[in-house]
Amino acid sequence: MSDQATGSAPSVDKLLTGPTSVVTAGVDIFDDALAAQGVHVDAVDWRPAVDGTTDDVNAVARDRRREEANRRALDAMKAAGAVLTDVRPASDALGLRPGTFLHAGPPIEFERASGPLTGALIGAMIFEGLAGSAEHAQAQLTAGALDSGEPIVLEPCHHHSAVGPMAGVISPSMWLFELTDPSSSRRAYSSLNEGLGKVLRYGAYGDEVIERLNWLRDTVGPLLARAVRRRAESDAGPIDVRNISAQMLQMGDEGHNRNRAGTMMFVRELIPELLDLGADAADVAAVVRFANTNDHFYLNLVMPQCKLTTDAGRDVPGSTIVVAMARNGTDFGIQVSGTGDTWFTGPAQVADGLFLGNYGPDDANPDIGDSAITETAGMGGFAMAAAPAIVAFVGGDENTARDTTSRMYQITADEHPVLQIPSMGFRGVPFGIDVLQVVKSGILPQINTGIAGRVAGTGQVGAGLVNPPMDCFTGAIRALSAAAEQ
């Protein structure tokens, strides 16, 4: 009913006589000016869609399959479990043969490989006995063939149900964790974590790196295999990795750059099995000490757990949910449920973070690794509110962790029912990155990451925060638009 009809005072008078409250959208300068004058401001976090995408955004939003397709993908992802069923050499688990190497990120030719990936491939060639020196290894990699004439094959880990941190190089003699989703019998794999510093995954290939890889092959892998199989065959059943990951989020870890609680819980599960093997006591002690003092040991179990989660949501026509984010040090790539195995790529970015020793931004290689599978599944940067201490490792202040998680809810379609954040009222982590929401809002996924040196052989130089390039998402929205059904 109008003011004229009721005979009351004009509305404008009410505006001038009552308390003032303003709703704003857009840049912050207007909010700040009003707040400085004591005016209550309700800021709406709205921004226009990315330039040039309006038609594609509208077409995808109208796709009659989208809502049901996303629901199917998300339900399958939330139902996926992950138990540790075996530890096996890659030659046995994946059928890799000499000269075949898996790597992190989307496909890439050796000519375009970054420094860390080049270094890791050189180290893997030496480790496999295919080269006697770095120069010998690089000559064969450049030629694309072994001295025997057999071709050298480079393929993404993701194409073999595997994921690898940083360079992510997997060669036939490396031992892998094998995780199984009990609801589907689907499997996922990751290499054993080597520790920090001069390690193959950061592109180092010196004698100390090869010596550690030999120990992992000859001692750690076989002992872990016996212990894991013994546990899997016991009344307790296989170790439930998703259950440990749910607990670690409530103990201060986010599952990507902080895995301290997860590592401790995993080692606690494993020690009784190792002690009952009757193996050499010195070897058992060395394995327990190595795992327990390596805070990132559990990362290589979180990653295949997340791989099982996101793979469960693949191949649903019309779905706009991201099922993989990965980088090879040159390109950043994403895969989307509704577009099959197609990679949408853009240039990998350099992380903003904290550097070790005398290293600085000029020493950093662009982002690299399959470990962004943790963010794809709602952990890592998406769960930073569960791990405020992470800012001491990746940079930021005390508000960074909670603000980051809050922002990620704006680009995700759901919350995970098992992976919860205590400091946010046990709310589920932001889950199911939606390409449509990313392009509409302009908000990019937040990724916690280690930083590798850009020169082959350097190793780790720092850790920080990074975003994917928007190119990946604009490419995906174009493909989804072309396939949309109105």
Side-chain angles (χ1 to χ4, degrees):
M1 185 177 295
S2 68
D3 292 329
Q4 186 175 11
T6 60
S8 61
S11 298
V12 66
D13 291 340
K14 292 182 181 176
L15 282 175
L16 297 176
T17 56
T20 302
S21 181
V22 179
V23 177
T24 66
V27 295
D28 295 336
I29 186 170
F30 189 45
D31 306 5
D32 296 340
L34 290 170
Q37 299 173 60
V39 177
H40 176 75
V41 178
D42 288 311
V44 177
D45 189 6
W46 175 89
R47 58 193 84 186
V50 176
D51 283 348
T53 62
T54 301
D55 291 344
D56 293 325
V57 164
N58 290 339
V60 173
R62 291 195 303 266
D63 190 337
R64 59 183 174 80
R65 306 167 300 168
R66 182 175 58 84
E67 290 189 7
E68 175 58 24
N70 282 350
R71 181 49 47 203
R72 282 177 53 201
L74 290 165
D75 285 348
M77 289 165 64
K78 287 187 291 187
V83 295
L84 178 59
T85 46
D86 210 345
V87 181
R88 294 198 280 161
S91 57
D92 178 33
L94 303 177
L96 298 190
R97 294 292 174 262
T100 297
F101 301 96
L102 306 187
H103 62 82
I108 190 169
E109 309 80 24
F110 181 71
E111 292 73 18
R112 297 183 63 242
S114 63
L117 178 53
T118 298
L121 289 169
I122 290 172
M125 289 278 290
I126 296 172
F127 168 63
E128 292 291 341
L130 299 172
S133 67
E135 294 75 15
H136 185 199
Q138 182 139 9
Q140 293 179 80
L141 288 163
T142 302
L146 303 174
D147 289 342
S148 64
E150 290 293 317
I152 293 176
V153 178
L154 304 182
E155 294 185 344
C157 292
H158 271 285
H159 293 188
H160 293 264
S161 301
V163 277
M166 303 310 290
V169 168
I170 295 175
S171 64
S173 301
M174 295 179 183
W175 285 70
L176 309 177
F177 288 122
E178 178 182 279
L179 274 63
T180 302
D181 174 6
S183 68
S184 66
S185 298
R186 185 181 292 108
R187 295 175 182 174
Y189 301 87
S190 181
S191 55
L192 310 182
N193 193 286
E194 313 160 70
L196 294 174
K198 295 277 187 181
V199 288
L200 189 84
R201 70 179 186 278
Y202 278 97
Y205 54 77
D207 291 345
E208 64 192 283
V209 176
I210 305 303
E211 183 179 346
R212 184 175 297 178
L213 290 174
N214 288 337
W215 179 63
L216 289 169
R217 178 194 61 201
D218 298 337
T219 302
V220 181
L223 273 178
L224 288 179
R226 292 173 61 191
V228 167
R229 292 167 189 168
R230 177 184 171 84
R231 168 61 186 262
E233 294 168 358
S234 72
D235 292 341
I239 296 173
D240 189 330
V241 175
R242 192 180 75 160
N243 183 45
I244 292 177
S245 295
Q247 294 181 64
M248 71 192 283
L249 290 178
Q250 301 187 22
M251 298 171 68
D253 286 350
E254 41 74 89
H256 189 164
N257 265 351
R258 185 178 169 91
N259 291 278
R260 183 169 297 179
T263 296
M264 288 191 295
M265 285 188 284
F266 176 70
V267 171
R268 185 182 66 175
E269 296 280 346
L270 205 59
I271 284 179
E273 311 303 335
L274 285 167
L275 293 177
D276 283 346
L277 291 177
D280 182 89
D283 285 343
V284 171
V287 170
V288 171
R289 188 178 299 112
F290 172 72
N292 201 42
T293 56
N294 172 10
D295 286 345
H296 289 279
F297 193 78
Y298 188 69
L299 170 64
N300 290 45
L301 288 150
V302 176
M303 288 175 59
Q305 171 218 324
C306 292
K307 172 73 173 164
L308 286 173
T309 297
T310 59
D311 276 0
R314 284 181 176 270
D315 301 324
V316 182
S319 173
T320 56
I321 301 300
V322 176
V323 293
M325 295 195 296
R327 46 283 202 240
N328 54 38
T330 303
D331 305 315
F332 193 116
I334 70 169
Q335 292 179 308
V336 181
S337 174
T339 55
D341 293 332
T342 301
W343 287 97
F344 302 98
T345 63
Q349 310 295 299
V350 175
D352 180 16
L354 304 176
F355 289 87
L356 304 173
N358 294 323
Y359 291 120
D362 291 342
D363 301 303
N365 192 79
D367 196 22
I368 186 170
D370 286 333
S371 53
I373 193 69
T374 58
E375 279 80 8
T376 316
M379 299 182 71
F382 282 51
M384 279 183 71
I390 193 69
V391 297
F393 190 58
V394 299
D397 58 28
E398 65 274 15
N399 295 317
T400 301
R402 188 180 179 87
D403 290 349
T404 298
T405 295
S406 296
R407 192 166 63 254
M408 294 302 98
Y409 284 113
Q410 299 181 50
I411 58 171
T412 46
D414 208 337
E415 299 176 12
H416 199 285
V418 175
L419 306 177
Q420 301 173 336
I421 302 174
S423 65
M424 302 188 82
F426 291 92
R427 186 177 181 183
V429 297
F431 186 71
I433 301 169
D434 187 342
V435 171
L436 182 61
Q437 297 304 321
V438 172
V439 177
K440 282 176 64 178
S441 68
I443 298 173
L444 288 165
Q446 183 68 67
I447 297 168
N448 295 344
T449 188
I451 304 174
R454 63 181 176 81
V455 177
T458 301
Q460 184 177 11
V461 299
L465 306 173
V466 71
N467 302 112
M470 184 58 81
D471 302 9
C472 302
F473 297 91
T474 55
I477 202 77
R478 282 194 294 273
L480 289 163
S481 171
E485 296 181 4
Q486 308 299 325

